[in-house]
Every structure is written in C-alpha cells, then in structure tokens.
Amino acid sequence: MAVELAIKYGVPAISLSGILDIGNWLSQHQDVDAAEGDTSDFNQRASATINQDGPNDPFYKWFMTNYIAPADYAKASPAPRVTAKTGPLYLANSLNEFVPTSGLFQMGEALSRAQVPFTLRTVVAAVTPRVTLMMCSMNSTYF
C-alpha cells in the first residue's frame, strides 16, 4: 500500500519487507505448489512466532494467489509502474525471510532509472521485527 501511494500520488513512503515481486515471481515459479502452512491464530500471534526463517516459496505463492486475482498479477507488481513522479521511498527487507528480495532490487533498479530518491536497506535477521527496530534510527532525509 505504501509503495502504491508513492507511485500514484508521488508522496514519500516506507516499505518494510514489501510484497513487491508478484507477476514476475509467479511466472518463474509455476512449478511451486501453493501451500497455506500453519496459519492457526495467524492474526493473533506476534510476528516473531511465525516461521520467517528463510524462503518459503509455497507459502509466498499461497499468500499472493489468495490476495491477488490472476488477471492482476502483472498490475500488482510496482516496479514497472515507477515514473519520475514517484515519491521518494525507503525500502527495507531482511535477507532471511519468506519475502523474496528480488522485488526490493527490482524497485531499486526502477527508481534509479527514473531518478527517484530512495534508500534501500537490507539486514541480516531471521524475523521482520528486527527490520522494524532498525527503522527507528533511519535517516529522515526524505520524510
């Protein structure tokens, strides 16, 4: 959602472990069977208790295909829609969770081509909350 606001309205935004590689990732992972995994009490547990220790392609595919209609896979990928009017972005992602970093680097490349100011940070951490803690000390040059 934050990236969408930056693209559509040109406002500054922050993305923490954003789901950014959708259409491209799905086209390259057609052989992966989507699997929900253990989502019992998913919305009532601390994120640190949810397995985010490394890639989980079946869950990532399940997550995306349950929230995005097949006709919208390409449209849901933000990097191809970046323009010079896109707002500045702060992109942060752990290098070791189920969200692939491919979308993060696609966004960085697209923002560079459009000459949009951005900060891209990766951290070596097993769970997203460490990324959130790192955000507290970010440089607020654009925000």
Side-chain angles (χ1 to χ4, degrees):
M1 181 65 159
V3 172
E4 292 302 316
L5 292 172
I7 290 172
K8 188 170 184 178
Y9 299 108
V11 298
I14 296 172
S15 173
L16 298 174
S17 301
I19 307 295
L20 303 172
D21 189 0
I22 299 166
N24 181 57
W25 190 94
L26 287 168
S27 70
Q28 293 180 7
H29 293 83
Q30 293 179 13
D31 58 334
V32 173
D33 291 326
E36 182 177 13
D38 179 14
T39 57
S40 58
D41 300 319
F42 194 70
N43 62 350
Q44 297 167 343
R45 296 184 340 189
S47 62
T49 67
I50 299 168
N51 178 12
Q52 298 180 53
D53 191 16
N56 186 337
D57 291 351
F59 178 73
Y60 188 68
K61 188 170 188 176
W62 174 86
F63 179 84
M64 288 193 297
T65 57
N66 274 275
Y67 289 99
I68 303 168
D72 294 332
Y73 291 163
K75 290 188 290 187
S77 302
R81 294 182 287 114
V82 168
T83 70
K85 294 181 181 180
T86 297
L89 285 164
Y90 186 96
L91 306 166
N93 209 106
S94 166
L95 293 173
N96 192 35
E97 62 180 278
F98 81 89
V99 177
T101 56
S102 53
L104 184 71
F105 298 115
Q106 290 166 9
M107 282 299 295
E109 187 177 330
L111 293 163
S112 292
R113 278 195 309 270
Q115 298 182 353
V116 173
F118 72 97
T119 300
L120 187 151
R121 295 278 189 253
T122 58
V123 295
V124 179
V127 294
T128 305
R130 293 185 187 168
V131 175
T132 305
L133 292 174
M134 183 267 309
M135 290 297 297
C136 295
S137 63
M138 72 177 213
N139 180 330
S140 58
T141 304
Y142 303 117
F143 306 101

